[in-house]
Each structure stands twice: as C-alpha cells, then as structure tokens.
Amino acid sequence: MAVRPVLRMGDARLWQQARAVEQFATAELAALIVDLEDTMRELDGAGLAAPQIGVDLRVVIFGIDANPRYPDAEAVPHTVLINPVLTPLSTEVEEAWEGCLSVPGLRGCVPRWKHLRYSGFDPSGRPIERSVCDFHARVVQHECDHLDGILYPMRMTDFSRFGFVNELFPEGGLATAE
Ligand code: NI
C-alpha cells in the first residue's frame, strides 16, 4: 500500500465523470481504500476522492478529528463512501473557505448546501445514510464533486475571495474542507 501522487488541476482525469463501483468487498477495492487513506494522512487532508489519485471510480473518503486549534471545524466521522447520492434538505446555502489537495496552496470561498442527506455504501456494500449540516455537509459536497469532474473553483461566484493561502491568511490558523 502506498502514498500515491495526487493529480493537480489541469490534469484531464480530474474532469471526468467517474464510474460506479459494481463489486464490493474485493481485494482491489480494499487496496484502493488503503491507498486513499495513506495519501490523505500523508498530506494532512480532510478528504480525498479516487479520481484524485487517477482511479476512475465513485469512491471518496473523508474525516476530521476534533482539533482545539480549529474550534470552528467540527469533527467529522472517518468515512469511506461509495457510489454516493446527495440530496439537499433545504434551499439554504452557506459560503465558507475550502482548499483542495488538487489545487495546492490556494483557498476559495465556496457556496454549498447547508443541510443535506447523503447515502451510499461502505466497502462491504452495506448502506450508509446520514443527514448532516455545516462543515460535515461541505466536506461531503466537495469530495463528491470530484466524482463528477468538478473542482471547487468551478463552484465559486466571488473571485475576490480566491487566492494563495499565505496571502489570504498570513496569520495562519484556518481549517478548511480539502
Ligand atoms: Ni478536493
């Protein structure tokens, strides 16, 4: 198992619609998930989607431990989500800062659904269904967009709030969905 190179914005593989997983509980799927986890941990990300390591499948992982340095970033359970379906639970949209391991060094303010339900499957094929809001909902939307070839700058509406993290936040201390 291995830390894999993360594709960066501009690589055509990031613009593709990923394929649904058809077989669960396989050695190939387990190996993919270990690689995603190793890569996310190495790069200190909040989430990672299979297309970001060049694998054309609808698999995302995400999870954030509570961190006293970032009291605004609630903990999100460590989750492997396969073939996800997202359904907004209200029309409410919220803007917050995001980054992405495929767009290194930059941050942008992105509008996202505030409340949503997501469903999908775990690696064994057992169903997952959760209703979430705020940061958890944001992370899921960001990761699942990767499965449809969408990077967060494509969701932005105000490009005055897009830039290099060191310029935007010289004091540091910003936790963002990756
Ligand atoms: Ni991303």
Side-chain angles (χ1 to χ4, degrees), residues 47 52 99-102 142-143 146 151-152 178:
Q52 290 181 277
C100 181
L101 297 175
S102 294
H142 177 117
E143 296 313 327
H146 280 296
L151 299 180
Y152 79 81
E178 295 274 350

PDB file of all heavy atoms in Angstrom, residues 47 52 99-102 142-143 146 151-152 178, ligand 1:
ATOM      1  N   GLY A  47     -10.204  15.068   3.208  1.00  0.00           N
ATOM      2  CA  GLY A  47     -10.921  14.123   2.363  1.00  0.00           C
ATOM      3  C   GLY A  47     -10.137  13.899   1.083  1.00  0.00           C
ATOM      4  O   GLY A  47      -9.205  14.653   0.771  1.00  0.00           O
ATOM      5  N   GLN A  52      -8.744  11.669  -7.746  1.00  0.00           N
ATOM      6  CA  GLN A  52      -7.573  12.496  -7.442  1.00  0.00           C
ATOM      7  C   GLN A  52      -6.275  11.693  -7.447  1.00  0.00           C
ATOM      8  O   GLN A  52      -5.197  12.281  -7.547  1.00  0.00           O
ATOM      9  CB  GLN A  52      -7.731  13.182  -6.082  1.00  0.00           C
ATOM     10  CG  GLN A  52      -8.794  14.283  -6.082  1.00  0.00           C
ATOM     11  CD  GLN A  52      -8.881  14.929  -4.718  1.00  0.00           C
ATOM     12  OE1 GLN A  52      -9.550  14.422  -3.828  1.00  0.00           O
ATOM     13  NE2 GLN A  52      -8.195  16.051  -4.544  1.00  0.00           N
ATOM     14  N   GLY A  99     -10.147  24.389   0.534  1.00  0.00           N
ATOM     15  CA  GLY A  99      -8.922  24.120  -0.201  1.00  0.00           C
ATOM     16  C   GLY A  99      -9.074  22.752  -0.830  1.00  0.00           C
ATOM     17  O   GLY A  99     -10.085  22.073  -0.626  1.00  0.00           O
ATOM     18  N   CYS A 100      -8.070  22.342  -1.595  1.00  0.00           N
ATOM     19  CA  CYS A 100      -8.151  21.045  -2.255  1.00  0.00           C
ATOM     20  C   CYS A 100      -6.739  20.557  -2.510  1.00  0.00           C
ATOM     21  O   CYS A 100      -5.883  21.331  -2.958  1.00  0.00           O
ATOM     22  CB  CYS A 100      -8.911  21.184  -3.578  1.00  0.00           C
ATOM     23  SG  CYS A 100      -9.078  19.626  -4.464  1.00  0.00           S
ATOM     24  N   LEU A 101      -6.492  19.281  -2.258  1.00  0.00           N
ATOM     25  CA  LEU A 101      -5.159  18.721  -2.486  1.00  0.00           C
ATOM     26  C   LEU A 101      -4.785  18.749  -3.973  1.00  0.00           C
ATOM     27  O   LEU A 101      -3.608  18.686  -4.305  1.00  0.00           O
ATOM     28  CB  LEU A 101      -5.081  17.290  -1.943  1.00  0.00           C
ATOM     29  CG  LEU A 101      -5.271  17.166  -0.418  1.00  0.00           C
ATOM     30  CD1 LEU A 101      -5.306  15.699  -0.010  1.00  0.00           C
ATOM     31  CD2 LEU A 101      -4.186  17.920   0.343  1.00  0.00           C
ATOM     32  N   SER A 102      -5.788  18.893  -4.855  1.00  0.00           N
ATOM     33  CA  SER A 102      -5.519  19.012  -6.292  1.00  0.00           C
ATOM     34  C   SER A 102      -5.327  20.461  -6.734  1.00  0.00           C
ATOM     35  O   SER A 102      -5.052  20.718  -7.912  1.00  0.00           O
ATOM     36  CB  SER A 102      -6.669  18.387  -7.097  1.00  0.00           C
ATOM     37  OG  SER A 102      -6.720  16.997  -6.864  1.00  0.00           O
ATOM     38  N   HIS A 142     -17.841  18.660  -1.347  1.00  0.00           N
ATOM     39  CA  HIS A 142     -16.554  18.879  -2.013  1.00  0.00           C
ATOM     40  C   HIS A 142     -16.013  17.557  -2.587  1.00  0.00           C
ATOM     41  O   HIS A 142     -15.626  17.492  -3.759  1.00  0.00           O
ATOM     42  CB  HIS A 142     -15.557  19.486  -1.021  1.00  0.00           C
ATOM     43  CG  HIS A 142     -14.191  19.692  -1.579  1.00  0.00           C
ATOM     44  ND1 HIS A 142     -13.617  20.932  -1.705  1.00  0.00           N
ATOM     45  CD2 HIS A 142     -13.275  18.808  -2.069  1.00  0.00           C
ATOM     46  CE1 HIS A 142     -12.412  20.788  -2.255  1.00  0.00           C
ATOM     47  NE2 HIS A 142     -12.179  19.509  -2.473  1.00  0.00           N
ATOM     48  N   GLU A 143     -16.020  16.510  -1.756  1.00  0.00           N
ATOM     49  CA  GLU A 143     -15.438  15.234  -2.213  1.00  0.00           C
ATOM     50  C   GLU A 143     -16.273  14.610  -3.326  1.00  0.00           C
ATOM     51  O   GLU A 143     -15.727  14.092  -4.304  1.00  0.00           O
ATOM     52  CB  GLU A 143     -15.287  14.258  -1.046  1.00  0.00           C
ATOM     53  CG  GLU A 143     -14.320  14.712   0.036  1.00  0.00           C
ATOM     54  CD  GLU A 143     -12.992  15.227  -0.472  1.00  0.00           C
ATOM     55  OE1 GLU A 143     -12.511  14.724  -1.518  1.00  0.00           O
ATOM     56  OE2 GLU A 143     -12.438  16.145   0.155  1.00  0.00           O
ATOM     57  N   HIS A 146     -15.772  15.782  -6.871  1.00  0.00           N
ATOM     58  CA  HIS A 146     -14.639  15.214  -7.612  1.00  0.00           C
ATOM     59  C   HIS A 146     -15.085  14.047  -8.500  1.00  0.00           C
ATOM     60  O   HIS A 146     -14.467  13.771  -9.528  1.00  0.00           O
ATOM     61  CB  HIS A 146     -13.561  14.704  -6.644  1.00  0.00           C
ATOM     62  CG  HIS A 146     -12.670  15.790  -6.092  1.00  0.00           C
ATOM     63  ND1 HIS A 146     -11.842  16.542  -6.876  1.00  0.00           N
ATOM     64  CD2 HIS A 146     -12.484  16.231  -4.820  1.00  0.00           C
ATOM     65  CE1 HIS A 146     -11.163  17.403  -6.110  1.00  0.00           C
ATOM     66  NE2 HIS A 146     -11.535  17.235  -4.858  1.00  0.00           N
ATOM     67  N   LEU A 151     -14.106  20.695  -9.625  1.00  0.00           N
ATOM     68  CA  LEU A 151     -13.209  21.185  -8.577  1.00  0.00           C
ATOM     69  C   LEU A 151     -13.820  22.455  -7.981  1.00  0.00           C
ATOM     70  O   LEU A 151     -14.537  23.194  -8.664  1.00  0.00           O
ATOM     71  CB  LEU A 151     -11.824  21.482  -9.146  1.00  0.00           C
ATOM     72  CG  LEU A 151     -11.104  20.274  -9.761  1.00  0.00           C
ATOM     73  CD1 LEU A 151      -9.738  20.698 -10.305  1.00  0.00           C
ATOM     74  CD2 LEU A 151     -10.944  19.154  -8.745  1.00  0.00           C
ATOM     75  N   TYR A 152     -13.484  22.749  -6.712  1.00  0.00           N
ATOM     76  CA  TYR A 152     -14.218  23.810  -6.019  1.00  0.00           C
ATOM     77  C   TYR A 152     -14.202  25.167  -6.724  1.00  0.00           C
ATOM     78  O   TYR A 152     -15.189  25.902  -6.632  1.00  0.00           O
ATOM     79  CB  TYR A 152     -13.780  23.929  -4.540  1.00  0.00           C
ATOM     80  CG  TYR A 152     -12.479  24.661  -4.313  1.00  0.00           C
ATOM     81  CD1 TYR A 152     -12.439  26.061  -4.300  1.00  0.00           C
ATOM     82  CD2 TYR A 152     -11.291  23.984  -4.109  1.00  0.00           C
ATOM     83  CE1 TYR A 152     -11.242  26.735  -4.105  1.00  0.00           C
ATOM     84  CE2 TYR A 152     -10.099  24.648  -3.916  1.00  0.00           C
ATOM     85  CZ  TYR A 152     -10.076  26.024  -3.919  1.00  0.00           C
ATOM     86  OH  TYR A 152      -8.901  26.691  -3.731  1.00  0.00           O
ATOM     87  N   GLU A 178     -10.914  20.131   2.509  1.00  0.00           N
ATOM     88  CA  GLU A 178      -9.957  19.900   1.426  1.00  0.00           C
ATOM     89  C   GLU A 178     -10.595  19.030   0.366  1.00  0.00           C
ATOM     90  O   GLU A 178      -9.938  18.514  -0.480  1.00  0.00           O
ATOM     91  CB  GLU A 178      -8.687  19.223   1.957  1.00  0.00           C
ATOM     92  CG  GLU A 178      -7.908  20.101   2.923  1.00  0.00           C
ATOM     93  CD  GLU A 178      -6.941  21.048   2.220  1.00  0.00           C
ATOM     94  OE1 GLU A 178      -6.731  20.887   1.005  1.00  0.00           O
ATOM     95  OE2 GLU A 178      -6.399  21.941   2.889  1.00  0.00           O
TER      96      GLU A 178
HETATM   97 NI    NI B   1     -10.608  18.371  -3.337  1.00  0.00          NI
END
